[in-house]
Amino acid sequence: MSEGRIDIVAEPDHLGVARWHAVASLGRVAGVAGLRPVEPFECGWPPPTAAPSGALELSLHVEPPWRRRGIGSRLLAAAGAHAAGRRLVAEVGAGSAGESFCVRHGFRRTGSWDHDLLTYCDVHHAWLGELVDVEHPGYRLRHWAGDPGDATSVEQLLRRPSRPGDAVVSAAEADDGLVAYALARSDGPRRWRARQYGPAVRGDHRERRLGLWVNAALIKRIREIHPHVEEVETRTAHDDPAQLALRRHLGFRPLGRSVRYELTLP
């Protein structure tokens, strides 16, 4: 089958996500690309107050039998035409075909992460509850759940009433406001796996086990609100041993490594 028989078809925009399918004969989907706003709730302090200007997260996949036919390049061209003048951000597996694709198409490497996975069947729930119940004098634990909508900071979320939605937040507050948080989302095609961001702890409140506190609370809260979630995936900067140690303490196991690439479109 020749590349000329592949049509790049734009799908209807859904909740701010633009998608394109590479459609072969008989309606078979040979590849798919998508663009969505960059997640504003990345781990870090201070919490982001706005999404990176002009940035869109690119996802692109071509089925193995259809690779090496230029389909990925055509999908990227369709996404690029839609996002002219903006910045594309792609996260791909280290050493994967996706990384080779980014390098060939002029993307610039900007970071790397270690990914970890927690499976609820391996969680000791009584021990987890004990971690959450430990008193932290001067701090109070807060939870929030709902649809983030156009919010760009955890503070904005905590000012809203909780309601059904894909996002869950556990946060620690002191008299001077928010000092630690962890957030998870269960949206996307793999709804049995939540994606965790954080924990992040304000610099002047570190060394008080607040990160462990809010992370344990989040893991417990996710399952209470979204009982269909079986796994929690998170990522940590490769040069952050303290965060990696916290993950291991909670029972996360290594899943793999990803690399972040960026491309600014003309």
Side-chain angles (χ1 to χ4, degrees), residues 110-260:
T110 57
S112 64
W113 286 271
D114 289 310
H115 288 244
D116 295 292
L117 187 71
L118 179 73
T119 304
Y120 274 100
C121 65
D122 297 328
V123 172
H124 192 303
H125 293 278
W127 174 74
L128 189 68
E130 291 174 0
L131 291 178
V132 177
D133 292 340
V134 170
E135 292 188 5
H136 291 73
Y139 300 97
R140 54 193 175 273
L141 191 63
R142 285 193 59 190
H143 300 288
W144 179 90
D147 179 1
D150 59 355
T152 57
S153 71
V154 174
E155 289 95 335
Q156 289 182 18
L157 297 181
L158 294 175
R159 288 195 292 267
R160 300 177 177 180
S162 287
R163 61 190 63 188
D166 64 73
V168 180
V169 177
S170 291
E173 293 182 328
D175 290 341
D176 57 347
L178 178 69
V179 298
Y181 74 92
L183 179 147
R185 301 190 68 169
S186 63
D187 60 342
R190 296 186 296 183
R191 296 189 63 83
W192 69 89
R193 178 179 293 183
R195 293 172 291 122
Q196 176 185 307
Y197 302 90
V201 182
R202 208 169 81 187
D204 54 339
H205 290 266
R206 291 176 182 165
E207 307 299 330
R208 305 179 194 186
R209 298 177 70 84
L210 296 178
L212 178 63
W213 192 32
V214 298
N215 204 158
L218 179 72
I219 294 168
K220 186 172 183 290
R221 191 70 171 170
I222 293 169
R223 196 60 183 276
E224 293 171 352
I225 295 177
H226 298 299
H228 62 277
V229 170
E230 298 291 340
E231 303 169 336
V232 180
E233 180 180 350
T234 189
R235 67 185 188 186
T236 307
H238 189 54
D239 57 354
D240 191 347
Q243 194 81 298
L244 288 171
L246 185 150
R247 306 273 196 244
R248 298 294 173 267
H249 184 66
L250 285 169
F252 285 85
R253 55 183 173 81
L255 184 63
R257 183 173 296 175
S258 69
V259 186
R260 181 187 182 110

Side-chain angles (χ1 to χ4, degrees), residues 41-57:
F41 304 109
E42 295 284 0
C43 175
W45 202 277
T49 56
S53 177
L56 293 170
E57 181 181 345

Side-chain angles (χ1 to χ4, degrees), residues 5-28:
R5 298 178 63 180
I6 302 292
D7 294 320
I8 305 300
V9 180
E11 297 295 310
D13 191 295
H14 178 64
L15 298 179
V17 179
R19 294 188 185 279
W20 295 264
H21 286 174
V23 182
S25 62
L26 303 178
R28 288 176 294 182

